[in-house]
PDB file of all heavy atoms in Angstrom:
ATOM      1  N   ILE A   1     -14.794 -14.765   0.574  1.00 93.00           N
ATOM      2  CA  ILE A   1     -14.271 -16.127   0.637  1.00 93.00           C
ATOM      3  C   ILE A   1     -13.538 -16.364   1.955  1.00 93.00           C
ATOM      4  O   ILE A   1     -12.904 -15.452   2.498  1.00 93.00           O
ATOM      5  CB  ILE A   1     -13.341 -16.453  -0.552  1.00 93.00           C
ATOM      6  CG1 ILE A   1     -12.122 -15.514  -0.577  1.00 93.00           C
ATOM      7  CG2 ILE A   1     -14.107 -16.389  -1.865  1.00 93.00           C
ATOM      8  CD1 ILE A   1     -11.086 -15.932  -1.600  1.00 93.00           C
ATOM      9  N   LEU A   2     -13.673 -17.570   2.462  1.00 94.00           N
ATOM     10  CA  LEU A   2     -13.010 -17.999   3.688  1.00 94.00           C
ATOM     11  C   LEU A   2     -12.464 -19.394   3.439  1.00 94.00           C
ATOM     12  O   LEU A   2     -13.176 -20.252   2.901  1.00 94.00           O
ATOM     13  CB  LEU A   2     -13.992 -17.982   4.851  1.00 94.00           C
ATOM     14  CG  LEU A   2     -13.466 -18.297   6.254  1.00 94.00           C
ATOM     15  CD1 LEU A   2     -14.330 -17.607   7.304  1.00 94.00           C
ATOM     16  CD2 LEU A   2     -13.455 -19.800   6.526  1.00 94.00           C
ATOM     17  N   PHE A   3     -11.200 -19.619   3.793  1.00 95.00           N
ATOM     18  CA  PHE A   3     -10.608 -20.933   3.533  1.00 95.00           C
ATOM     19  C   PHE A   3      -9.472 -21.217   4.513  1.00 95.00           C
ATOM     20  O   PHE A   3      -8.929 -20.294   5.147  1.00 95.00           O
ATOM     21  CB  PHE A   3     -10.080 -21.000   2.091  1.00 95.00           C
ATOM     22  CG  PHE A   3      -9.111 -19.909   1.737  1.00 95.00           C
ATOM     23  CD1 PHE A   3      -7.741 -20.078   1.874  1.00 95.00           C
ATOM     24  CD2 PHE A   3      -9.575 -18.689   1.257  1.00 95.00           C
ATOM     25  CE1 PHE A   3      -6.843 -19.077   1.552  1.00 95.00           C
ATOM     26  CE2 PHE A   3      -8.683 -17.673   0.928  1.00 95.00           C
ATOM     27  CZ  PHE A   3      -7.316 -17.853   1.079  1.00 95.00           C
ATOM     28  N   ASN A   4      -9.125 -22.481   4.646  1.00 95.00           N
ATOM     29  CA  ASN A   4      -7.987 -22.908   5.448  1.00 95.00           C
ATOM     30  C   ASN A   4      -6.781 -23.086   4.541  1.00 95.00           C
ATOM     31  O   ASN A   4      -6.914 -23.547   3.390  1.00 95.00           O
ATOM     32  CB  ASN A   4      -8.297 -24.206   6.180  1.00 95.00           C
ATOM     33  CG  ASN A   4      -9.406 -24.012   7.211  1.00 95.00           C
ATOM     34  OD1 ASN A   4      -9.603 -22.908   7.718  1.00 95.00           O
ATOM     35  ND2 ASN A   4     -10.116 -25.089   7.508  1.00 95.00           N
ATOM     36  N   LEU A   5      -5.599 -22.738   5.067  1.00 95.00           N
ATOM     37  CA  LEU A   5      -4.415 -22.698   4.225  1.00 95.00           C
ATOM     38  C   LEU A   5      -3.166 -23.081   5.028  1.00 95.00           C
ATOM     39  O   LEU A   5      -3.013 -22.635   6.175  1.00 95.00           O
ATOM     40  CB  LEU A   5      -4.232 -21.275   3.677  1.00 95.00           C
ATOM     41  CG  LEU A   5      -3.064 -21.032   2.718  1.00 95.00           C
ATOM     42  CD1 LEU A   5      -3.404 -21.584   1.336  1.00 95.00           C
ATOM     43  CD2 LEU A   5      -2.767 -19.534   2.632  1.00 95.00           C
ATOM     44  N   PRO A   6      -2.263 -23.868   4.452  1.00 94.00           N
ATOM     45  CA  PRO A   6      -0.982 -24.097   5.119  1.00 94.00           C
ATOM     46  C   PRO A   6      -0.282 -22.760   5.366  1.00 94.00           C
ATOM     47  O   PRO A   6      -0.225 -21.908   4.477  1.00 94.00           O
ATOM     48  CB  PRO A   6      -0.210 -24.961   4.106  1.00 94.00           C
ATOM     49  CG  PRO A   6      -1.276 -25.641   3.304  1.00 94.00           C
ATOM     50  CD  PRO A   6      -2.393 -24.642   3.203  1.00 94.00           C
ATOM     51  N   ALA A   7       0.243 -22.568   6.568  1.00 94.00           N
ATOM     52  CA  ALA A   7       0.799 -21.273   6.951  1.00 94.00           C
ATOM     53  C   ALA A   7       1.892 -20.795   6.007  1.00 94.00           C
ATOM     54  O   ALA A   7       1.992 -19.590   5.714  1.00 94.00           O
ATOM     55  CB  ALA A   7       1.328 -21.349   8.386  1.00 94.00           C
ATOM     56  N   GLU A   8       2.705 -21.720   5.486  1.00 94.00           N
ATOM     57  CA  GLU A   8       3.813 -21.292   4.629  1.00 94.00           C
ATOM     58  C   GLU A   8       3.352 -20.801   3.263  1.00 94.00           C
ATOM     59  O   GLU A   8       4.140 -20.248   2.487  1.00 94.00           O
ATOM     60  CB  GLU A   8       4.830 -22.435   4.453  1.00 94.00           C
ATOM     61  CG  GLU A   8       4.356 -23.591   3.593  1.00 94.00           C
ATOM     62  CD  GLU A   8       3.620 -24.660   4.396  1.00 94.00           C
ATOM     63  OE1 GLU A   8       3.271 -24.385   5.576  1.00 94.00           O
ATOM     64  OE2 GLU A   8       3.412 -25.769   3.861  1.00 94.00           O
ATOM     65  N   LYS A   9       2.059 -20.963   2.956  1.00 93.00           N
ATOM     66  CA  LYS A   9       1.530 -20.540   1.654  1.00 93.00           C
ATOM     67  C   LYS A   9       0.831 -19.175   1.717  1.00 93.00           C
ATOM     68  O   LYS A   9       0.224 -18.743   0.741  1.00 93.00           O
ATOM     69  CB  LYS A   9       0.532 -21.587   1.136  1.00 93.00           C
ATOM     70  CG  LYS A   9       1.140 -22.970   0.907  1.00 93.00           C
ATOM     71  CD  LYS A   9       2.104 -22.963  -0.260  1.00 93.00           C
ATOM     72  CE  LYS A   9       2.597 -24.364  -0.591  1.00 93.00           C
ATOM     73  NZ  LYS A   9       3.516 -24.383  -1.738  1.00 93.00           N
ATOM     74  N   LEU A  10       0.926 -18.500   2.860  1.00 92.00           N
ATOM     75  CA  LEU A  10       0.167 -17.259   3.034  1.00 92.00           C
ATOM     76  C   LEU A  10       0.572 -16.183   2.029  1.00 92.00           C
ATOM     77  O   LEU A  10      -0.289 -15.511   1.449  1.00 92.00           O
ATOM     78  CB  LEU A  10       0.338 -16.731   4.464  1.00 92.00           C
ATOM     79  CG  LEU A  10      -0.424 -15.439   4.789  1.00 92.00           C
ATOM     80  CD1 LEU A  10      -1.919 -15.637   4.560  1.00 92.00           C
ATOM     81  CD2 LEU A  10      -0.159 -15.025   6.233  1.00 92.00           C
ATOM     82  N   ASP A  11       1.852 -15.980   1.816  1.00 91.00           N
ATOM     83  CA  ASP A  11       2.296 -14.949   0.874  1.00 91.00           C
ATOM     84  C   ASP A  11       1.792 -15.248  -0.537  1.00 91.00           C
ATOM     85  O   ASP A  11       1.357 -14.335  -1.260  1.00 91.00           O
ATOM     86  CB  ASP A  11       3.820 -14.845   0.863  1.00 91.00           C
ATOM     87  CG  ASP A  11       4.364 -14.190   2.132  1.00 91.00           C
ATOM     88  OD1 ASP A  11       3.564 -13.541   2.836  1.00 91.00           O
ATOM     89  OD2 ASP A  11       5.568 -14.334   2.404  1.00 91.00           O
ATOM     90  N   GLU A  12       1.810 -16.505  -0.942  1.00 92.00           N
ATOM     91  CA  GLU A  12       1.291 -16.878  -2.262  1.00 92.00           C
ATOM     92  C   GLU A  12      -0.197 -16.590  -2.358  1.00 92.00           C
ATOM     93  O   GLU A  12      -0.689 -16.075  -3.369  1.00 92.00           O
ATOM     94  CB  GLU A  12       1.552 -18.359  -2.532  1.00 92.00           C
ATOM     95  CG  GLU A  12       2.993 -18.712  -2.804  1.00 92.00           C
ATOM     96  CD  GLU A  12       3.148 -20.180  -3.152  1.00 92.00           C
ATOM     97  OE1 GLU A  12       2.588 -20.606  -4.183  1.00 92.00           O
ATOM     98  OE2 GLU A  12       3.816 -20.908  -2.379  1.00 92.00           O
ATOM     99  N   ALA A  13      -0.936 -16.936  -1.301  1.00 92.00           N
ATOM    100  CA  ALA A  13      -2.384 -16.705  -1.298  1.00 92.00           C
ATOM    101  C   ALA A  13      -2.697 -15.212  -1.396  1.00 92.00           C
ATOM    102  O   ALA A  13      -3.623 -14.798  -2.112  1.00 92.00           O
ATOM    103  CB  ALA A  13      -3.001 -17.285  -0.026  1.00 92.00           C
ATOM    104  N   ALA A  14      -1.923 -14.385  -0.698  1.00 90.00           N
ATOM    105  CA  ALA A  14      -2.149 -12.940  -0.732  1.00 90.00           C
ATOM    106  C   ALA A  14      -1.955 -12.403  -2.146  1.00 90.00           C
ATOM    107  O   ALA A  14      -2.706 -11.536  -2.605  1.00 90.00           O
ATOM    108  CB  ALA A  14      -1.215 -12.238   0.250  1.00 90.00           C
ATOM    109  N   ARG A  15      -0.933 -12.914  -2.851  1.00 90.00           N
ATOM    110  CA  ARG A  15      -0.705 -12.473  -4.233  1.00 90.00           C
ATOM    111  C   ARG A  15      -1.847 -12.918  -5.145  1.00 90.00           C
ATOM    112  O   ARG A  15      -2.252 -12.196  -6.046  1.00 90.00           O
ATOM    113  CB  ARG A  15       0.634 -13.020  -4.741  1.00 90.00           C
ATOM    114  CG  ARG A  15       1.846 -12.300  -4.159  1.00 90.00           C
ATOM    115  CD  ARG A  15       3.116 -12.648  -4.945  1.00 90.00           C
ATOM    116  NE  ARG A  15       3.474 -14.057  -4.792  1.00 90.00           N
ATOM    117  CZ  ARG A  15       4.243 -14.531  -3.822  1.00 90.00           C
ATOM    118  NH1 ARG A  15       4.736 -13.703  -2.913  1.00 90.00           N
ATOM    119  NH2 ARG A  15       4.533 -15.818  -3.762  1.00 90.00           N
ATOM    120  N   ILE A  16      -2.344 -14.122  -4.924  1.00 91.00           N
ATOM    121  CA  ILE A  16      -3.454 -14.630  -5.742  1.00 91.00           C
ATOM    122  C   ILE A  16      -4.710 -13.803  -5.535  1.00 91.00           C
ATOM    123  O   ILE A  16      -5.393 -13.420  -6.492  1.00 91.00           O
ATOM    124  CB  ILE A  16      -3.733 -16.113  -5.395  1.00 91.00           C
ATOM    125  CG1 ILE A  16      -2.579 -16.986  -5.863  1.00 91.00           C
ATOM    126  CG2 ILE A  16      -5.060 -16.573  -6.009  1.00 91.00           C
ATOM    127  CD1 ILE A  16      -2.635 -18.411  -5.333  1.00 91.00           C
ATOM    128  N   ILE A  17      -5.024 -13.513  -4.282  1.00 89.00           N
ATOM    129  CA  ILE A  17      -6.259 -12.786  -3.968  1.00 89.00           C
ATOM    130  C   ILE A  17      -6.182 -11.347  -4.463  1.00 89.00           C
ATOM    131  O   ILE A  17      -7.076 -10.852  -5.148  1.00 89.00           O
ATOM    132  CB  ILE A  17      -6.531 -12.821  -2.450  1.00 89.00           C
ATOM    133  CG1 ILE A  17      -6.809 -14.253  -2.002  1.00 89.00           C
ATOM    134  CG2 ILE A  17      -7.725 -11.923  -2.103  1.00 89.00           C
ATOM    135  CD1 ILE A  17      -6.802 -14.435  -0.507  1.00 89.00           C
ATOM    136  N   GLY A  18      -5.093 -10.634  -4.127  1.00 79.00           N
ATOM    137  CA  GLY A  18      -4.935  -9.243  -4.553  1.00 79.00           C
ATOM    138  C   GLY A  18      -6.103  -8.393  -4.099  1.00 79.00           C
ATOM    139  O   GLY A  18      -6.807  -8.700  -3.138  1.00 79.00           O
ATOM    140  N   GLY A  19      -6.348  -7.285  -4.807  1.00 59.00           N
ATOM    141  CA  GLY A  19      -7.530  -6.450  -4.572  1.00 59.00           C
ATOM    142  C   GLY A  19      -7.483  -5.652  -3.291  1.00 59.00           C
ATOM    143  O   GLY A  19      -6.821  -4.623  -3.205  1.00 59.00           O
ATOM    144  N   MET A  20      -8.156  -6.139  -2.239  1.00 57.00           N
ATOM    145  CA  MET A  20      -8.285  -5.396  -1.002  1.00 57.00           C
ATOM    146  C   MET A  20      -6.935  -5.314  -0.280  1.00 57.00           C
ATOM    147  O   MET A  20      -6.000  -6.048  -0.582  1.00 57.00           O
ATOM    148  CB  MET A  20      -9.351  -6.030  -0.111  1.00 57.00           C
ATOM    149  CG  MET A  20     -10.737  -6.029  -0.759  1.00 57.00           C
ATOM    150  SD  MET A  20     -12.054  -6.438   0.382  1.00 57.00           S
ATOM    151  CE  MET A  20     -12.176  -4.920   1.316  1.00 57.00           C
ATOM    152  N   LYS A  21      -6.828  -4.401   0.695  1.00 64.00           N
ATOM    153  CA  LYS A  21      -5.553  -4.081   1.318  1.00 64.00           C
ATOM    154  C   LYS A  21      -4.829  -5.310   1.848  1.00 64.00           C
ATOM    155  O   LYS A  21      -3.651  -5.512   1.607  1.00 64.00           O
ATOM    156  CB  LYS A  21      -5.775  -3.073   2.449  1.00 64.00           C
ATOM    157  CG  LYS A  21      -6.217  -1.698   1.954  1.00 64.00           C
ATOM    158  CD  LYS A  21      -6.414  -0.737   3.108  1.00 64.00           C
ATOM    159  CE  LYS A  21      -6.853   0.634   2.608  1.00 64.00           C
ATOM    160  NZ  LYS A  21      -7.092   1.566   3.725  1.00 64.00           N
ATOM    161  N   SER A  22      -5.538  -6.155   2.585  1.00 75.00           N
ATOM    162  CA  SER A  22      -4.895  -7.329   3.169  1.00 75.00           C
ATOM    163  C   SER A  22      -5.965  -8.312   3.609  1.00 75.00           C
ATOM    164  O   SER A  22      -7.001  -7.909   4.141  1.00 75.00           O
ATOM    165  CB  SER A  22      -4.037  -6.912   4.370  1.00 75.00           C
ATOM    166  OG  SER A  22      -3.471  -8.039   4.991  1.00 75.00           O
ATOM    167  N   PRO A  23      -5.739  -9.615   3.389  1.00 85.00           N
ATOM    168  CA  PRO A  23      -6.713 -10.597   3.885  1.00 85.00           C
ATOM    169  C   PRO A  23      -6.674 -10.659   5.415  1.00 85.00           C
ATOM    170  O   PRO A  23      -5.686 -10.293   6.047  1.00 85.00           O
ATOM    171  CB  PRO A  23      -6.231 -11.907   3.258  1.00 85.00           C
ATOM    172  CG  PRO A  23      -4.775 -11.702   3.009  1.00 85.00           C
ATOM    173  CD  PRO A  23      -4.624 -10.236   2.676  1.00 85.00           C
ATOM    174  N   THR A  24      -7.765 -11.121   6.004  1.00 90.00           N
ATOM    175  CA  THR A  24      -7.819 -11.347   7.444  1.00 90.00           C
ATOM    176  C   THR A  24      -7.313 -12.753   7.726  1.00 90.00           C
ATOM    177  O   THR A  24      -7.781 -13.720   7.109  1.00 90.00           O
ATOM    178  CB  THR A  24      -9.263 -11.195   7.959  1.00 90.00           C
ATOM    179  OG1 THR A  24      -9.713  -9.867   7.685  1.00 90.00           O
ATOM    180  CG2 THR A  24      -9.325 -11.443   9.457  1.00 90.00           C
ATOM    181  N   VAL A  25      -6.366 -12.877   8.645  1.00 92.00           N
ATOM    182  CA  VAL A  25      -5.728 -14.169   8.920  1.00 92.00           C
ATOM    183  C   VAL A  25      -5.933 -14.528  10.389  1.00 92.00           C
ATOM    184  O   VAL A  25      -5.661 -13.717  11.282  1.00 92.00           O
ATOM    185  CB  VAL A  25      -4.226 -14.117   8.593  1.00 92.00           C
ATOM    186  CG1 VAL A  25      -3.571 -15.463   8.903  1.00 92.00           C
ATOM    187  CG2 VAL A  25      -4.010 -13.726   7.132  1.00 92.00           C
ATOM    188  N   THR A  26      -6.402 -15.750  10.647  1.00 93.00           N
ATOM    189  CA  THR A  26      -6.638 -16.238  12.010  1.00 93.00           C
ATOM    190  C   THR A  26      -5.908 -17.566  12.209  1.00 93.00           C
ATOM    191  O   THR A  26      -6.095 -18.493  11.409  1.00 93.00           O
ATOM    192  CB  THR A  26      -8.146 -16.448  12.261  1.00 93.00           C
ATOM    193  OG1 THR A  26      -8.849 -15.246  11.966  1.00 93.00           O
ATOM    194  CG2 THR A  26      -8.394 -16.848  13.708  1.00 93.00           C
ATOM    195  N   PRO A  27      -5.072 -17.680  13.260  1.00 92.00           N
ATOM    196  CA  PRO A  27      -4.396 -18.959  13.520  1.00 92.00           C
ATOM    197  C   PRO A  27      -5.408 -20.044  13.893  1.00 92.00           C
ATOM    198  O   PRO A  27      -6.436 -19.763  14.528  1.00 92.00           O
ATOM    199  CB  PRO A  27      -3.479 -18.639  14.704  1.00 92.00           C
ATOM    200  CG  PRO A  27      -3.370 -17.150  14.742  1.00 92.00           C
ATOM    201  CD  PRO A  27      -4.663 -16.627  14.203  1.00 92.00           C
ATOM    202  N   LEU A  28      -5.123 -21.282  13.509  1.00 93.00           N
ATOM    203  CA  LEU A  28      -5.949 -22.417  13.887  1.00 93.00           C
ATOM    204  C   LEU A  28      -5.265 -23.185  15.027  1.00 93.00           C
ATOM    205  O   LEU A  28      -4.115 -22.915  15.380  1.00 93.00           O
ATOM    206  CB  LEU A  28      -6.161 -23.331  12.683  1.00 93.00           C
ATOM    207  CG  LEU A  28      -6.918 -22.713  11.497  1.00 93.00           C
ATOM    208  CD1 LEU A  28      -7.045 -23.741  10.375  1.00 93.00           C
ATOM    209  CD2 LEU A  28      -8.284 -22.203  11.907  1.00 93.00           C
ATOM    210  N   MET A  29      -5.983 -24.130  15.609  1.00 93.00           N
ATOM    211  CA  MET A  29      -5.400 -24.921  16.689  1.00 93.00           C
ATOM    212  C   MET A  29      -4.136 -25.628  16.212  1.00 93.00           C
ATOM    213  O   MET A  29      -3.135 -25.717  16.928  1.00 93.00           O
ATOM    214  CB  MET A  29      -6.427 -25.920  17.219  1.00 93.00           C
ATOM    215  CG  MET A  29      -5.936 -26.743  18.400  1.00 93.00           C
ATOM    216  SD  MET A  29      -7.240 -27.787  19.095  1.00 93.00           S
ATOM    217  CE  MET A  29      -8.342 -26.522  19.775  1.00 93.00           C
ATOM    218  N   ASP A  30      -4.184 -26.133  14.973  1.00 93.00           N
ATOM    219  CA  ASP A  30      -2.985 -26.694  14.350  1.00 93.00           C
ATOM    220  C   ASP A  30      -2.170 -25.511  13.841  1.00 93.00           C
ATOM    221  O   ASP A  30      -2.542 -24.854  12.867  1.00 93.00           O
ATOM    222  CB  ASP A  30      -3.394 -27.614  13.193  1.00 93.00           C
ATOM    223  CG  ASP A  30      -2.188 -28.270  12.518  1.00 93.00           C
ATOM    224  OD1 ASP A  30      -1.057 -27.789  12.706  1.00 93.00           O
ATOM    225  OD2 ASP A  30      -2.401 -29.251  11.778  1.00 93.00           O
ATOM    226  N   LYS A  31      -1.061 -25.203  14.481  1.00 91.00           N
ATOM    227  CA  LYS A  31      -0.297 -23.995  14.204  1.00 91.00           C
ATOM    228  C   LYS A  31       0.270 -23.952  12.783  1.00 91.00           C
ATOM    229  O   LYS A  31       0.711 -22.898  12.328  1.00 91.00           O
ATOM    230  CB  LYS A  31       0.857 -23.854  15.210  1.00 91.00           C
ATOM    231  CG  LYS A  31       0.395 -23.760  16.664  1.00 91.00           C
ATOM    232  CD  LYS A  31      -0.554 -22.581  16.868  1.00 91.00           C
ATOM    233  CE  LYS A  31      -0.962 -22.462  18.341  1.00 91.00           C
ATOM    234  NZ  LYS A  31      -1.933 -21.374  18.563  1.00 91.00           N
ATOM    235  N   SER A  32       0.271 -25.086  12.108  1.00 94.00           N
ATOM    236  CA  SER A  32       0.794 -25.096  10.737  1.00 94.00           C
ATOM    237  C   SER A  32      -0.259 -24.660   9.719  1.00 94.00           C
ATOM    238  O   SER A  32       0.034 -24.581   8.528  1.00 94.00           O
ATOM    239  CB  SER A  32       1.312 -26.490  10.376  1.00 94.00           C
ATOM    240  OG  SER A  32       0.250 -27.435  10.373  1.00 94.00           O
ATOM    241  N   TRP A  33      -1.484 -24.376  10.220  1.00 95.00           N
ATOM    242  CA  TRP A  33      -2.579 -23.962   9.320  1.00 95.00           C
ATOM    243  C   TRP A  33      -3.147 -22.619   9.772  1.00 95.00           C
ATOM    244  O   TRP A  33      -3.106 -22.268  10.951  1.00 95.00           O
ATOM    245  CB  TRP A  33      -3.685 -25.016   9.304  1.00 95.00           C
ATOM    246  CG  TRP A  33      -3.340 -26.215   8.480  1.00 95.00           C
ATOM    247  CD1 TRP A  33      -2.524 -27.243   8.822  1.00 95.00           C
ATOM    248  CD2 TRP A  33      -3.806 -26.482   7.155  1.00 95.00           C
ATOM    249  NE1 TRP A  33      -2.428 -28.154   7.802  1.00 95.00           N
ATOM    250  CE2 TRP A  33      -3.209 -27.715   6.758  1.00 95.00           C
ATOM    251  CE3 TRP A  33      -4.644 -25.826   6.259  1.00 95.00           C
ATOM    252  CZ2 TRP A  33      -3.444 -28.284   5.511  1.00 95.00           C
ATOM    253  CZ3 TRP A  33      -4.881 -26.395   5.015  1.00 95.00           C
ATOM    254  CH2 TRP A  33      -4.283 -27.610   4.650  1.00 95.00           C
ATOM    255  N   LEU A  34      -3.707 -21.887   8.794  1.00 94.00           N
ATOM    256  CA  LEU A  34      -4.343 -20.595   9.050  1.00 94.00           C
ATOM    257  C   LEU A  34      -5.737 -20.588   8.430  1.00 94.00           C
ATOM    258  O   LEU A  34      -6.008 -21.293   7.460  1.00 94.00           O
ATOM    259  CB  LEU A  34      -3.529 -19.453   8.416  1.00 94.00           C
ATOM    260  CG  LEU A  34      -2.074 -19.292   8.856  1.00 94.00           C
ATOM    261  CD1 LEU A  34      -1.377 -18.289   7.947  1.00 94.00           C
ATOM    262  CD2 LEU A  34      -2.007 -18.846  10.315  1.00 94.00           C
ATOM    263  N   SER A  35      -6.606 -19.744   9.002  1.00 95.00           N
ATOM    264  CA  SER A  35      -7.895 -19.456   8.380  1.00 95.00           C
ATOM    265  C   SER A  35      -7.787 -18.079   7.743  1.00 95.00           C
ATOM    266  O   SER A  35      -7.377 -17.114   8.407  1.00 95.00           O
ATOM    267  CB  SER A  35      -9.025 -19.464   9.419  1.00 95.00           C
ATOM    268  OG  SER A  35     -10.241 -19.052   8.824  1.00 95.00           O
ATOM    269  N   VAL A  36      -8.117 -17.981   6.461  1.00 94.00           N
ATOM    270  CA  VAL A  36      -7.952 -16.730   5.709  1.00 94.00           C
ATOM    271  C   VAL A  36      -9.304 -16.260   5.191  1.00 94.00           C
ATOM    272  O   VAL A  36     -10.097 -17.060   4.675  1.00 94.00           O
ATOM    273  CB  VAL A  36      -6.973 -16.913   4.533  1.00 94.00           C
ATOM    274  CG1 VAL A  36      -6.766 -15.589   3.790  1.00 94.00           C
ATOM    275  CG2 VAL A  36      -5.639 -17.457   5.030  1.00 94.00           C
TER     276      VAL A  36
END
């Protein structure tokens, strides 16, 4: 899965996903958003 996410929600998203060691996170041009 690949999705865009508000940066402040990253910790919540990581808890939801679980499983693998850590999601891959890439900053977007809009610094308030991330690609996960």
Side-chain angles (χ1 to χ4, degrees):
I1 61 171
L2 185 153
F3 55 93
N4 295 334
L5 182 76
E8 71 272 13
K9 298 291 186 179
L10 181 58
D11 287 343
E12 288 184 63
R15 285 194 294 272
I16 291 169
I17 295 168
M20 299 192 75
K21 292 180 180 178
S22 177
T24 299
V25 179
T26 306
L28 297 180
M29 183 174 293
D30 182 343
K31 300 302 182 183
S32 64
W33 283 78
L34 302 170
S35 174
V36 182

